[in-house]
Amino acid sequence: MENLIGLLVAAPLLGAVVLLCGGKRLDRVGHWLGTLLAAASFVIGAVLFADMLGKSGEHRALHAHLFSWVPVGGFRADVAFQLDQLSMTFVLLITGVGTLIHLYSVGYMEHDERRRRFFGYLNLFLAAMVLLVIADNYLLLYVGWEGVGLASYLLIGFWQHKPSAATAAKKAFIVNRVGDMGLSIAIMLMFTTFGTFAFEPVLATAGSASQGKMTAVGLMLLLAACGKSAQVPLQSWLGDAMEGPTPVSALIHAATMVTAGVYLITRSGAIFNAAPDAQTAVVTVGAVTLLFGAIVGCAKDDIKKALAGSTMSQIGYMILAAGLGPIGYVFAIMHLVTHGFFKAGLFLGAGSVMHGMNDEVDMRKYGGLRKYMPVTFVTFGLGYLAIIGFPGLSGFFSKDKIIEAAFAQGGTEGWILGGAALLGAAITAYYMTRVMLMTFFGEKRWVPDADGNEPHPHESPKTMTIPMIILAVGSVGAGAFFSVNSTFMKWLEPVTGHAEGHSPISATTVTIATMVVLVVGVAIAWSQYGRKPVPAVAPRGSLLTQAARRDLLQDDFNHVVLVRGGEQLTRGLVRIDDSVVDGAVNGTAASVGGLSGRLRRFQNGYARSYAVSMFGGAAVLIAATLLMRAV
């Protein structure tokens, strides 16, 4: 079975190479080839999963060594894979949801002239993400990490004829480079501390290293996770990334890029367990981001950007859980998987709405679409119920567990984190109900576009609706399936470990509180958008609303602190270069030149001047000799 692990990456990578290098002869079949190879990777993963289920928990991990990548003296880097319960969970999510998104894209990108290239980029995205999660060392993980960044850049800016798309791609790429520096520094620190960057020796001995070093490594890993998973303070790229085709948004948000940071922190659990300060930083970032993203999602009229704020918030829940250590690792991954189902379904549903509305994204120009798009309405609605934590659906099981784990942290910290998670649940219920009401309920509000073309909403083709239906099934049942007999906990525990916290309040009380805030959030949204007509132009709103429409001023903050700060730093460095570096060089040259000019005066070519100089020198020597004798 070890021989099959490499094929998980090889299948989509082959698709990327063939589709990007095969030329126009593949235009007619390229989309199906890309989908078939994505599905092949999923089938291989399913075979490996079935084999893994036949073994006991301690013997399920598979290892495969391909070749020594960089053997130089004491430095050794291998291309080797590790497939355990954690990486298998990600493999099935990435390839399964990824295949459905490929199938959806067949219909969504039907009329795009560059469809073959698009599917090549999708295959590259899958290959890079799979490599990231099955690598057995941090350096090979870094290769997948950078591959994901490259693929996201290519896909976000796929419609590069649009300046906004090109700008968004560059923004995502640059912001992620900041996080990538954190990962590269962490790998260097690991090597200087442990002499290796392979998972097994690093994680096995992390507890014996100095806490200061582990804190530094943990903080650098957190910086990397903030970049890839769009967490504060590196979250500004995610909303703009919606400029890419909608299947790209679904792939980024549900199965690939933004989940990478959660994987990195969970995989590195032993490092964070040995660094309490780094764990505190992780928890803080998660709590702040889950509220930050939720507030942003409340003020967006662009349906995709509202869902982008939602993703930021839900990933915040996962980061929060991962920061709780063994209490929360399992629940972080559980919510990641359930989120993969309902968030992919929500984005594909948004794409279906756009497909029927001439690519309109402004929800104020929707209304009443449930009559025209019944399949999209039902599948999107199930995803909506799942994300708000409606009882019995997947989000109810996974997000409630995170809230319970937050309270179980104990003390003042537990109350603060649990309160933040509950508040986030209330806001989630509000903004997602707002999206649902503005899109599918009320009277129709669409108008002709600038060219006079009025939308004629209609249901999407089966290549788009079938993936939406499958994802809706997962949105309904995945959480309950994972929770029966603690199935998911038992599956991951050999890798992540698990510890029971001591919550000051019972699980039943947490569930009741969650249901109360859910009802409050839904009721407020209904009073604003269900009982009243939706105005064509958004009202000015409060200062918080205005700030939320501008992503809580995150770009303004970056401009003032980073752009202007960088400009000032650059000007200061230029002044130092001019006055100190160049000043020293130019000053030395001027001094030598000035001294040379003065010495040149004594070399005038007149014999009488030389004679006087010789006479003066001789007189000085005689006087000095006589003085020394007298003393």
Side-chain angles (χ1 to χ4, degrees):
M1 284 295 173
E2 288 84 354
N3 296 330
L4 293 178
I5 300 177
L7 296 179
L8 292 169
V9 179
L13 185 60
L14 174 64
V17 172
V18 171
L19 292 175
L20 296 176
C21 301
K24 294 184 177 180
R25 66 177 68 89
L26 293 175
D27 283 353
R28 289 187 177 182
V29 297
H31 48 289
W32 289 116
L33 177 62
T35 304
L36 179 63
L37 288 171
S41 185
F42 174 71
V43 170
I44 295 167
V47 171
L48 289 167
F49 175 63
D51 177 71
M52 192 175 283
L53 288 177
K55 302 175 182 178
S56 62
E58 295 75 14
H59 301 92
R60 282 173 170 167
L62 298 174
H63 298 270
H65 180 275
L66 268 67
F67 57 89
S68 294
W69 179 14
V70 188
V72 180
F75 181 91
R76 181 185 178 88
D78 294 329
V79 175
F81 302 133
Q82 172 180 298
L83 193 66
D84 56 18
Q85 292 91 318
L86 178 61
S87 49
M88 175 57 76
T89 301
F90 275 83
V91 164
L92 293 177
L93 176 68
I94 294 163
T95 58
V97 174
T99 299
L100 293 175
I101 292 172
H102 274 70
L103 179 60
Y104 177 95
S105 301
V106 171
Y108 191 88
M109 302 294 289
E110 181 179 5
H111 303 294
D112 196 292
E113 296 179 353
R114 301 168 65 233
R115 182 167 62 168
R116 170 182 53 82
R117 181 176 295 274
F118 178 79
F119 276 82
Y121 292 159
L122 286 184
N123 273 192
L124 178 62
F125 212 164
L126 255 62
M129 189 65 193
V130 171
L131 175 63
L132 190 158
V133 300
I134 68 172
D136 89 329
N137 62 80
Y138 283 96
L139 192 62
L140 188 60
L141 178 150
Y142 188 77
V143 175
W145 192 271
E146 290 300 308
V148 168
L150 170 62
S152 66
Y153 169 77
L154 296 171
L155 286 166
I156 293 170
F158 183 76
W159 286 328
Q160 55 200 8
H161 60 278
K162 297 166 55 180
S164 57
T167 301
K170 288 188 290 185
K171 184 176 182 180
F173 192 82
I174 292 170
V175 172
N176 272 272
R177 296 290 72 71
V178 179
D180 295 352
M181 282 298 297
L183 182 54
S184 63
I185 293 171
I187 294 172
M188 295 176 198
L189 290 173
M190 289 177 198
F191 188 78
T192 58
T193 303
F194 304 105
T196 181
F197 31 69
F199 290 151
E200 189 171 344
V202 168
L203 300 179
T205 57
S208 61
S210 73
Q211 186 171 315
K213 285 186 177 179
M214 290 301 94
T215 299
V217 173
L219 291 176
M220 289 300 99
L221 292 175
L222 173 59
L223 179 63
C226 286
K228 277 290 183 288
S229 293
Q231 299 292 284
V232 172
L234 300 180
Q235 79 286 5
S236 62
W237 65 270
L238 190 62
D240 292 332
M242 299 305 96
E243 291 292 337
T246 300
V248 175
S249 303
L251 195 58
I252 288 175
H253 289 248
T256 54
M257 191 163 178
V258 298
T259 65
V262 183
Y263 172 79
L264 180 66
I265 293 175
T266 307
R267 173 63 73 187
S268 308
I271 293 174
F272 288 96
N273 294 342
D277 291 339
Q279 267 191 336
T280 300
V282 173
V283 168
T284 303
V285 166
V288 170
T289 308
L290 76 87
L291 294 175
F292 188 106
I295 293 171
V296 168
C298 291
K300 294 296 184 181
D301 292 332
D302 183 320
I303 188 171
K304 289 175 66 178
K305 290 190 175 183
L307 294 177
S310 168
T311 297
M312 194 187 303
S313 178
Q314 297 303 308
I315 298 293
Y317 273 102
M318 302 170 206
I319 296 293
L320 168 63
L324 297 175
I327 298 175
Y329 289 139
V330 170
F331 303 133
I333 303 303
M334 181 177 175
H335 192 53
L336 184 147
V337 176
T338 59
H339 177 266
F341 284 109
F342 58 69
K343 184 51 62 69
L346 288 170
F347 265 109
L348 296 189
S352 180
V353 170
M354 293 167 58
H355 183 267
M357 293 292 291
N358 295 346
D359 289 328
E360 179 61 66
V361 296
D362 187 351
M363 293 185 293
R364 293 186 181 276
K365 298 178 181 177
Y366 292 165
L369 292 181
R370 69 185 189 282
K371 304 173 185 176
Y372 305 91
M373 310 178 73
V375 176
T376 300
F377 167 64
V378 172
T379 55
F380 192 97
L382 291 173
Y384 152 72
L385 292 174
I387 194 174
I388 68 172
F390 190 83
L393 274 69
S394 59
F396 168 79
F397 294 96
S398 58
K399 189 157 59 176
D400 269 27
K401 288 295 185 182
I402 293 176
I403 297 173
E404 291 175 23
F407 278 111
Q409 188 73 355
T412 304
E413 183 182 355
W415 284 103
I416 293 173
L417 296 176
L422 273 178
L423 178 58
I427 301 174
T428 300
Y430 170 80
Y431 70 72
M432 285 306 304
T433 302
R434 175 179 180 269
V435 169
M436 196 72 187
L437 293 174
M438 292 179 71
T439 302
F440 295 103
F441 291 87
E443 299 297 325
K444 67 175 187 178
R445 300 184 300 275
W446 54 84
V447 295
D449 59 21
D451 298 324
N453 299 319
E454 182 173 340
H456 296 283
H458 55 278
E459 192 56 86
S460 299
K462 289 184 178 180
T463 53
M464 296 171 65
T465 56
I466 290 175
M468 291 158 56
I469 293 170
I470 296 173
L471 291 169
V473 172
S475 299
V476 171
F481 177 77
F482 291 155
S483 297
V484 173
N485 295 323
S486 301
T487 301
F488 199 71
M489 184 187 302
K490 294 175 181 176
W491 165 256
L492 282 183
E493 190 171 359
V495 180
T496 63
H498 181 67
E500 294 292 338
H502 303 286
S503 178
I505 56 178
S506 67
T508 303
T509 304
V510 171
T511 300
I512 293 172
T514 305
M515 292 301 98
V516 169
V517 299
L518 184 154
V519 171
V520 170
V522 171
I524 294 174
W526 172 258
S527 68
Q528 293 180 345
Y529 297 95
R531 297 177 58 189
K532 304 175 184 177
V534 176
V537 179
R540 181 177 177 81
S542 64
L543 290 177
L544 178 59
T545 300
Q546 296 174 47
R549 287 181 185 141
R550 296 175 60 182
D551 300 325
L552 290 181
L553 308 181
Q554 56 185 326
D555 285 332
D556 303 79
F557 175 83
N558 290 342
H559 185 76
V560 171
V561 175
L562 300 179
V563 177
R564 289 187 181 176
E567 290 174 351
Q568 294 297 327
L569 176 62
T570 302
R571 292 192 185 101
L573 292 174
V574 169
R575 292 192 190 100
I576 293 174
D577 185 63
D578 290 341
S579 59
V580 179
V581 180
D582 286 350
V585 174
N586 295 335
T588 301
S591 299
V592 172
L595 179 62
S596 300
R598 289 177 176 83
L599 291 175
R600 195 184 304 120
R601 297 174 183 174
F602 296 100
Q603 303 296 323
N604 53 23
Y606 295 116
R608 58 181 179 273
S609 297
Y610 299 153
V612 171
S613 299
M614 293 170 65
F615 177 76
V620 170
L621 289 174
I622 293 171
T625 301
L626 293 175
L627 181 61
M628 291 177 64
R629 285 182 177 181
V631 174

